[in-house]
Amino acid sequence: SNSFCTLLATMGSDAQAAEVQRILRCKPEDFFAVLNIDPKTAEYEEVKKAHKRVVLQVHPDKCPGIEKAKDAFAVADKAYKRLSDEAMFTRFRDAFRRKAEAAKAAMDLAAGKVPQRRPEDDAAEAERERQERYLAAVREHKEFEAKKNRAENERKAQAAQRAEIDEQLAHYADMKKVFGTVDPAAAAAR
């Protein structure tokens, strides 16, 4: 019984050490590989389960004597933090899928296969074009608003200038009433 427990502990320890090594061999930014999730078929709901499964294997408290368990745990935790945000998960998964499709297309081209257009390619391209048109419209609107604001500011500056000139003319007219017409050349000759 005692040797059986020792055997189980050794097997667990070996599996944990292997898991630590697997995680540390992954690129730290390859979050799917770290959590041992296949990004081709991954769904968001899998992230939490995969994290729990991995963390139970590499948690430093569960891996006494295994070097680098703490490092592997930190890498797994970082991967979970990134993929636990559903928007980030979708972004990383879709980027992986696009990369995989591009690699497959490149291999097909190298093998002389002619790529086939798929309906989802057309839909994705139509969506990209729609987004580009939207962004162009937003830029045009911002430019229009900026031009409108510049014109409004210029109009206000001209109105302020006119008001200042009118005020100076009124002041000059008041001075003329009080002091009469003053010839600057005659005043200078005196």
Side-chain angles (χ1 to χ4, degrees):
S1 173
N2 193 16
S3 62
F4 181 70
C5 290
T6 306
L7 177 64
L8 280 179
T10 304
M11 286 173 50
S13 174
D14 290 344
Q16 289 170 318
E19 184 65 4
V20 166
Q21 290 303 313
R22 183 195 68 76
I23 290 171
L24 294 176
R25 279 192 306 268
C26 294
K27 292 180 183 173
E29 66 277 357
D30 191 354
F31 307 123
F32 290 101
V34 168
L35 294 180
N36 212 8
I37 300 173
D38 182 2
K40 288 182 246 171
T41 59
E43 294 300 326
Y44 175 70
E45 294 74 29
E46 295 174 54
V47 173
K48 191 171 189 176
K49 292 175 193 169
H51 174 254
K52 186 174 184 177
R53 192 171 47 247
V54 168
V55 165
L56 285 174
Q57 286 276 310
V58 300
H59 195 284
D61 293 344
K62 303 255 184 205
C63 300
I66 297 178
E67 265 189 66
K68 305 278 186 180
K70 191 174 186 178
D71 296 339
F73 179 80
V75 170
D77 210 41
K78 179 183 176 188
Y80 174 70
K81 285 178 182 168
R82 285 307 197 87
L83 294 180
S84 65
D85 176 354
E86 191 167 5
M88 291 296 281
F89 168 84
T90 303
R91 187 173 142 216
F92 285 122
R93 183 196 61 201
D94 293 349
F96 177 87
R97 288 177 179 174
R98 282 192 305 275
K99 202 180 214 182
E101 287 172 7
K104 183 182 179 326
M107 289 177 66
D108 287 349
L109 278 174
K113 294 181 184 174
V114 177
Q116 300 288 321
R117 293 233 12 118
R118 300 174 310 183
E120 55 267 22
D121 293 338
D122 294 336
E125 189 169 327
E127 177 62 16
R128 273 192 300 278
E129 288 173 2
R130 186 194 66 74
Q131 287 176 350
E132 286 174 12
R133 285 192 308 273
Y134 172 76
L135 292 174
V138 167
R139 276 192 302 275
E140 284 179 26
H141 179 71
K142 283 182 179 180
E143 289 170 8
F144 171 77
E145 287 295 320
K147 192 175 185 179
K148 187 172 106 178
N149 287 340
R150 281 192 303 272
E152 180 64 20
N153 289 340
E154 192 174 305
R155 187 193 61 74
K156 286 178 182 178
Q158 288 173 350
Q161 260 183 337
R162 276 194 302 275
E164 188 177 333
I165 290 170
D166 290 346
E167 187 180 316
Q168 287 175 355
L169 287 172
H171 180 69
Y172 180 72
D174 289 344
M175 295 293 287
K176 207 172 170 182
K177 287 179 191 173
V178 172
F179 298 107
T181 305
V182 177
D183 181 10
R190 289 190 203 160

